[in-house]
Amino acid sequence: MQIANKSTRSGGSAAVFALIGLPFLGFGCFMGHKSVLLLLDWHAAKAWVQADAGITSIELEERGGDDSSSCLVVATYTYTYEGTPYHGDRVGLIADADNIGSWQEDTFARLNKYYERGEPVPCYVDPSNPRQALLDRELRLGMLGIHLLFFLMFGGVGGGLIVGGLVSGRRTRAKRALEQQHPGAPWLANPAWASGTIRAGTGSIAIWLWIIAFFWNGVSWVVPFILIPKAIDEGAYWFLVFLLFPVIGIAIIYAAVRDTLGHFKFGRSVLEMKSIPGVIGGNLRGNLVIVGKTSSIGAVSVTLQCKRSATEGHGRHRTTNTETVWSDSKSVDSPAMFGGRITLPIDFEIPYSCPAFGEHAGGDISWHVLAAANIPGVDLELDFEIPVFKTDASDPAIDRAKVEKEGVESADRNLDRYERPVADTLEVETDMAGNTCYRNSALPSLGMLLFLLPLTLGFTGAVVFFGWALIQGNWIALAGVFAFGFFDLIFWVVILSFVGSYYARVTPDALVLERRFLVFKKTRTVSLAEISTVSNKKSVSSGERKWFAVRVHRASGRTVTVLGMIRGEVAAKRLVRQIEKRLPKRRQRSGNSAAPRPDTPLLHAIDQ
């Protein structure tokens, strides 16, 4: 019933979105019509015949208020074509007032010189209709760009809302039909689930990112570069701050390109469920079929995750929080590649106390199967939304504590299977004395650096600009220095923390640790005898990708970082295990590597 109510509301929302899209589409079509007329007039005017005209009056009219004033050149003139005199008042291709660029002011200054000297000015006459003439047939690219921008933005939003509403309405009707055919089985009322073959949601994410990138860059690039030259001429240098928005637009394009490449690489992958749905108090079994460039895939981290999304507050204070209710992860070795397709069996036991998919009093519950692997280029990151419900097969005896215990034991077995961390995450070598050495870069990923660096440079430019204005005596700029300087300092600290590398050598008696930064190096030695526990902690995350730091805790209470920026919790936990094996005696792990308390859900046995 909850699913049906949600479908009913979706149908009403679809009609509302379609109605909202109509005025947007109408205005977009109007601006598109103006763009077409402008181009047709410009093309036709190129063939018009030049003649001499005498200006009889000219004026530069200012319209609007002080904050949004616009100008319009108004002129009258006389000209003769094939012996017949005519009167004209059309100056340019566009007869509307505007403040885009300086065309109105420049044209007035140029024509006014002819008027004051009493000299004839060139005009252009339509030979097929001599009553039509104009004094300037220049195509104003700025105005054309504004018209096209409004056409694409409003037309795109309106068309998208209408198409989205129609598609959503069609899907809602299909769901209602399936609900009537399968009462009491909401997992069969969803066409995406009914067949048992579920596709990853990579393509939809890439589409939304491209839509956001299109509209953001359409505004952030076109408008500033049209308005900033005029603002500089008028001394309004604060307009340069708007250059930050194109920098953000570049970051959005990068994210869109990355997700698009990921979709092209693995977008055909599917999750084949052996039984529908996944059973709470039972099992989720199936096959993860990864299709694409699979030759470089080694171990794949597969996670079954339950999330709750709850909306709180009203109006501007309305916020939506998403939390992980329960999750379990396993590391699965990929078999030998065959034809660009690998099949990984998955089997998860789900506690009886977990909530079912759908709407609940505490928020919306969704279940996902996540697959991730570190590979060259774009990493494997797949997300499948799956049906998980209580059925007649649900067994209350499969409780949370049992599953958590088995999950931890399974995690330990997965860690013990590997003698060393993932090769492309950590460099592992042996020195001349036979000691094991670990090394990794402090840079999480080149993509993260390419995202942060332009943004940081933009904030630095804003700080320099406001600082220069402050030196000139503009004390208001002090607020800009503090506001942009605060975030700029944080960004630079983060970027500088990515410089250099970590190095750790495990000897029979101690850990020899190095943190290298350019030509500088800091070395410290930690005796194995004084280490009480070893743990890992998340340092940085980007979407589903996470980086961890492995730390040792001394008996004195001090904590020392062994290695930082380790990609994936599996690799971090393996390193924790390797260090623990070298301790004088087996110690209880702490932090993220400790076993969960019986009264706490197992959020992550292995996250990556």
Side-chain angles (χ1 to χ4, degrees):
M1 181 61 66
Q2 292 169 341
I3 302 296
N5 290 339
K6 190 172 182 179
S7 299
T8 303
R9 290 201 302 270
S10 298
S13 300
V16 170
F17 279 123
L19 290 175
I20 294 175
L22 284 175
F24 281 90
L25 181 61
F27 181 73
C29 291
F30 170 72
M31 296 306 297
H33 176 69
K34 290 191 67 173
S35 301
V36 172
L37 290 182
L38 177 59
L39 289 172
L40 291 176
D41 286 348
W42 170 70
H43 180 73
K46 291 193 298 184
W48 289 9
V49 179
Q50 181 175 332
D52 291 334
I55 299 176
T56 56
S57 66
I58 185 170
E59 182 182 1
L60 182 63
E61 294 184 355
E62 291 191 7
R63 302 179 181 180
D66 296 334
D67 296 333
S68 58
S69 62
S70 57
C71 301
L72 177 64
V73 180
V74 178
T76 59
Y77 50 91
T78 60
Y79 60 94
T80 301
Y81 180 74
E82 294 183 347
T84 303
Y86 295 95
H87 294 274
D89 59 4
R90 187 179 180 186
V91 177
L93 293 171
I94 299 175
D96 301 324
D98 65 80
N99 57 2
I100 306 301
S102 59
W103 183 89
Q104 301 284 0
E105 293 89 342
D106 295 343
T107 302
F108 170 77
R110 178 175 63 86
L111 297 178
N112 192 50
K113 291 180 180 180
Y114 286 99
Y115 174 72
E116 291 177 347
R117 293 196 296 259
E119 298 178 355
V121 61
C123 75
Y124 304 93
V125 182
D126 183 0
S128 61
N129 184 8
R131 295 184 181 277
Q132 292 193 50
L134 50 80
L135 299 179
D136 193 311
R137 56 182 178 182
E138 172 190 353
L139 176 63
R140 297 179 57 190
L141 295 178
M143 288 298 295
L144 177 62
I146 291 293
H147 289 171
L148 291 175
L149 176 64
F150 283 131
F151 162 66
L152 294 174
M153 288 188 60
F154 284 88
V157 170
L161 288 173
I162 292 174
V163 172
L166 294 176
V167 172
S168 178
R170 181 179 178 182
R171 290 178 177 175
T172 300
R173 290 190 295 271
K175 278 190 176 183
R176 289 175 182 169
L178 289 174
E179 288 167 1
Q180 295 176 358
Q181 296 176 16
H182 306 283
W187 52 89
L188 296 178
N190 189 333
W193 294 341
S195 66
T197 301
I198 302 174
R199 295 186 176 276
T202 56
S204 58
I205 296 175
I207 291 173
W208 278 111
L209 283 173
W210 278 115
I211 292 174
I212 295 172
F214 171 76
F215 288 110
W216 183 281
N217 285 277
V219 175
S220 63
W221 284 93
V222 176
V223 174
F225 280 97
I226 291 175
L227 299 181
I228 284 177
K230 182 178 180 180
I232 293 177
D233 293 339
E234 296 176 355
Y237 294 103
W238 63 271
F239 254 87
L240 295 174
V241 175
F242 285 99
L243 292 176
L244 288 175
F245 294 98
V247 175
I248 298 175
I250 294 175
I252 298 175
I253 291 177
Y254 167 78
V257 170
R258 179 181 171 278
D259 279 73
T260 301
L261 292 176
H263 175 68
F264 286 152
K265 199 171 184 179
F266 301 109
R268 293 177 295 162
S269 302
V270 296
L271 175 64
E272 297 175 346
M273 298 182 65
K274 290 186 177 179
S275 61
I276 305 174
V279 180
I280 295 176
N283 293 82
L284 168 72
R285 295 188 177 97
N287 291 318
L288 175 61
V289 182
I290 302 177
V291 181
K293 298 180 180 180
T294 58
S295 57
S296 56
I297 297 179
V300 178
S301 173
V302 183
T303 301
L304 175 61
Q305 190 175 75
C306 175
K307 292 184 177 181
R308 177 191 289 115
S309 297
T311 301
E312 301 176 351
H314 303 280
R316 293 183 300 174
H317 304 288
R318 184 183 179 92
T319 58
T320 300
N321 299 316
T322 301
E323 63 175 341
T324 301
V325 177
W326 178 88
S327 75
D328 188 15
S329 300
K330 298 178 181 180
S331 181
V332 183
D333 282 338
S334 62
M337 182 195 67
F338 178 76
R341 174 189 296 260
I342 58 176
T343 300
L344 306 179
I346 61 172
D347 188 351
F348 290 96
E349 198 169 34
I350 306 173
Y352 186 80
S353 56
C354 286
F357 189 101
E359 297 179 0
H360 296 263
D364 293 341
I365 297 295
S366 63
W367 284 82
H368 301 261
V369 169
L370 310 176
N374 303 330
I375 58 177
V378 180
D379 292 335
L380 172 68
E381 293 180 358
L382 300 175
D383 186 347
F384 303 89
E385 186 177 72
I386 62 171
V388 176
F389 294 88
K390 286 185 177 178
T391 68
D392 295 338
S394 297
D395 183 2
I398 302 178
D399 59 7
R400 187 183 301 273
K402 175 184 176 183
V403 174
E404 287 180 354
K405 180 181 179 181
E406 292 179 352
V408 173
E409 292 175 352
S410 175
D412 287 343
R413 287 195 300 269
N414 284 332
L415 291 174
D416 288 335
R417 290 173 58 200
Y418 298 90
E419 182 63 26
R420 53 174 290 176
V422 180
D424 62 353
T425 302
L426 295 177
E427 296 181 18
V428 185
E429 57 189 28
T430 303
D431 63 8
M432 298 294 293
N435 300 314
T436 303
C437 305
Y438 303 92
R439 187 195 315 273
N440 75 310
S441 172
L443 177 64
S445 67
L446 181 60
M448 187 174 293
L449 179 63
L450 294 177
F451 173 81
L452 285 176
L453 189 58
L455 189 63
T456 305
L457 293 176
F459 273 88
T460 302
V463 172
V464 172
F465 164 73
F466 282 111
W468 176 82
L470 183 62
I471 294 175
Q472 299 298 316
N474 187 353
W475 292 100
I476 299 179
L478 184 62
V481 172
F482 278 108
F484 286 93
F486 174 75
F487 292 102
D488 188 47
L489 178 61
I490 293 177
F491 285 142
W492 276 117
V493 169
V494 172
I495 288 178
L496 290 177
S497 69
F498 293 163
V499 177
S501 62
Y502 293 91
Y503 177 81
R505 184 170 73 253
V506 185
T507 70
D509 301 319
L511 291 176
V512 181
L513 310 176
E514 293 181 0
R515 175 64 169 98
R516 300 178 181 181
F517 182 88
L518 299 178
V519 297
F520 305 99
K521 180 173 64 175
K522 180 180 180 180
T523 304
R524 65 172 62 183
T525 302
V526 181
S527 172
L528 295 180
E530 63 176 316
I531 297 176
S532 59
T533 56
V534 188
S535 67
N536 65 83
K537 181 180 180 182
K538 185 175 68 174
S539 302
V540 180
S541 63
S542 175
E544 296 296 332
R545 295 176 296 171
K546 299 177 179 63
W547 290 263
F548 292 80
V550 170
R551 306 180 303 175
V552 293
H553 307 271
R554 294 180 173 180
S556 61
R558 296 189 61 183
T559 300
V560 179
T561 298
V562 179
L563 290 179
M565 294 303 170
I566 302 173
R567 177 68 180 274
E569 193 172 10
V570 170
K573 286 189 173 184
R574 290 173 187 162
L575 180 57
V576 169
R577 178 61 56 87
Q578 294 299 315
I579 296 176
E580 285 181 334
K581 289 180 178 179
R582 302 299 183 96
L583 298 182
K585 62 180 180 178
R586 182 77 174 181
R587 303 180 187 274
Q588 175 69 31
R589 283 179 290 174
S590 64
N592 286 349
S593 58
R597 299 188 303 271
D599 58 342
T600 304
L602 178 64
L603 298 184
H604 298 283
I606 301 178
D607 187 47
Q608 296 289 337

